[in-house]
């Protein structure tokens, strides 16, 4: 029996992803029966193709000239302006053009660009992510993790997301931006607001949201001027002072690049850290393997990122007709590359639903693939590795207890609260 219409439509609702059993059931059925599947959308959306097999996700990711990420074609998330308008109770026009922020919204960052312009924008910050640059950060990461974990001493339990998982990535972001550590709380708040659109605990009124965006833009613009006058080795200086075709980046693009780095480097790493501790709590025998043999931690990092899939999907839009598994994808069609599903493809890992910290096998898709492969993947892996090394040494009995609360979104696998016992 094929996947029901209700199940297909449910993939558009954030609620469906509050617990992953249902989407995994739907994706398993798609992979077995209909790997390229048309899914209707609610709220007047035109519908889209669900791509659920590992090989197909890779094939599409290697063809940015056919499958565009460009904002002009709709960008990297599924909801169309009509759908956003319906959900947020605003007009389609407002959803297309948030007026007060026209400058800010008018910008594009590398993640919503296609080659060749994508390559130029990516090159601007690439020096900040070379293996050498990142290796030199390891002592810094370890020092920060030590301080965070020392602050937990004497406690038998804590709320892990705010105490550890959220703290490290924003501290590292403040470091990469070379801004005072006190600013990190603002970075955290902004990042939550940007991705938390469907979550009642996070969503603000339209006016409040605008005010928060204006505050963010004001902060970023001030940094722009500062780093123009006093360039350093940090990511902001790279954005401000590198020229594209002899021209500096315009302000709208700069603001978008700033937001991208804040969100991309923050939420995802946080969720791989909290999701990793959750997975080890749910699989004590796997955790014991790491306690017995810490040299397995790098392999465990790979497995955690496969298992957790911090990014659930990315969208592409076909800009020419293309045939995939005998089906015609038409110019203009939307596609969802479900990384969450590709990472459980039984053809790649026969026991894909087993969490195994010592597994071999192909590289997971959590960092994407091809043209837009995550620029920060090494940094994220380093943070996760150091946290696990220090955490398992100091708190070998750490385990998640109580209710895990997720942010309401079908885009990111985002844990907002997770109580843990430390001893
Ligand atoms: C576990 C942590 C992380 C995960 C799972 C993750 C995931 C991803 C994914 C799936 C993409 C591909 C987007 C696409 O195909 O359209 C991406 C791109 C990107 N990520 Fe990450 N990311 C993580 C950490 C980071 C960090 C730490 C940074 C920077 C500090 C970062 C910065 C970026 C940027 C700038 C892009 C855009 C690259 C491009 O368009 O060429 N990410 N990330």
């Amino acid at each position: 029996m094929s996947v029901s219409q209700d199940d297909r439509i449910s993939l558009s609702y954030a609620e469906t992803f509050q617990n992953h059993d249902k989407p995994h059931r739907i994706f398993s059925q798609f992979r077995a029966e209909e790997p390229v599947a048309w899914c209707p959308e609610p709220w007047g959306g035109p519908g889209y193709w669900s791509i659920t097999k590992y090989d197909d996700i890779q094939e599409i990711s290697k063809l940015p000239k056919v499958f565009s990420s460009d904002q002009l074609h709709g960008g990297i998330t599924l909801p169309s302006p009509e759908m956003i308008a319906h959900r947020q109770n605003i007009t389609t026009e407002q959803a297309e053009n948030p007026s007060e922020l026209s400058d800010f919204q008018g910008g594009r960052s590398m993640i919503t660009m296609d080659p060749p312009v994508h390559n130029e924008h990516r090159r601007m910050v690439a020096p900040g992510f070379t293996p050498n640059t990142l290796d030199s950060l390891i002592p810094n990461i370890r020092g920060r993790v030590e301080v965070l974990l020392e602050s937990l001493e004497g406690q038998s339990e804590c709320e892990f997301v705010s105490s550890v998982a959220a703290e490290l990535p924003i501290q590292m972001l403040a470091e990469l931006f070379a801004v005072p550590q006190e600013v990190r709380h603002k970075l955290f708040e902004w990042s939550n607001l940007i991705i938390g659109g469907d979550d009642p605990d996070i969503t603000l009124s339209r006016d409040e949201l605008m005010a928060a965006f204006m505050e963010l833009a004001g902060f970023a613009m001030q940094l722009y001027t500062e780093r123009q006058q006093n360039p350093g080795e940090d990511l902001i200086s790279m954005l401000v002072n590198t020229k594209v075709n002899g021209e500096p980046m315009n302000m709208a693009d700069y603001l978008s690049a700033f937001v991208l780095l804040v969100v991309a480097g923050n939420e995802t790493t946080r969720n791989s850290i909290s999701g990793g501790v959750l997975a080890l709590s749910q699989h004590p025998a796997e955790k014991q393997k790491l306690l017995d043999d810490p040299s397995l931690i790098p392999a465990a990092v790979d497995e955690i990122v496969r298992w957790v899939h911090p990014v659930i999907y990315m969208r592409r839009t076909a800009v020419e007709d293309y045939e995939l598994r005998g089906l015609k994808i038409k110019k203009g069609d939307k596609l969802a590359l479900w990384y969450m599903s590709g990472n459980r493809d039984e053809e790649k890992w026969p026991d894909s639903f087993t969490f195994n910290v010592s597994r071999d096998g192909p590289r997971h898709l959590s960092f994407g693939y091809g043209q837009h492969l995550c620029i920060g993947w090494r940094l994220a892996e380093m943070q996760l590795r150091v946290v696990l090394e220090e955490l398992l040494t100091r708190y070998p009995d750490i385990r998640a207890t109580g209710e895990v609360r997720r942010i309401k979104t079908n885009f990111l696998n985002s844990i907002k609260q997770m109580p843990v016992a430390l001893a």
Side-chain angles (χ1 to χ4, degrees), residues 77-91:
T77 54
L78 284 171
S80 52
E82 292 77 12
M83 298 167 74
I84 295 169
H86 181 91
R87 280 194 320 190
Q88 297 184 2
N89 203 13
I90 55 176
T91 63

Side-chain angles (χ1 to χ4, degrees), residues 260-301:
L260 171 65
L261 288 168
V262 171
V263 177
N266 185 1
E267 300 286 336
T268 48
T269 313
R270 175 202 318 170
N271 291 315
S272 64
I273 296 172
S274 43
V277 169
L278 179 61
L280 292 173
S281 308
Q282 291 167 334
H283 302 90
E286 294 305 296
K287 184 168 130 207
Q288 193 57 47
K289 281 196 209 163
L290 301 183
L291 291 169
D292 295 342
D293 180 3
S295 73
L296 288 175
I297 288 178
V301 165

Side-chain angles (χ1 to χ4, degrees), residues 111 118 122 264-265 268-269 310 314 316 339 366-368 372 374-375 380:
I111 206 163
H118 166 263
R122 187 168 165 122
T268 48
T269 313
M314 283 283 167
R316 297 292 186 262
Y339 301 136
S366 289
F367 292 121
H372 290 275
C374 176
I375 202 168

Side-chain angles (χ1 to χ4, degrees), residues 130-152:
T130 62
N132 280 348
T133 313
L134 293 179
D135 280 351
S136 68
L137 285 175
I138 291 184
N140 185 317
I141 298 176
R142 196 171 301 278
R144 293 186 182 284
V145 175
E146 280 167 3
V147 172
L148 285 174
L149 298 188
E150 272 156 23
S151 74
L152 300 178

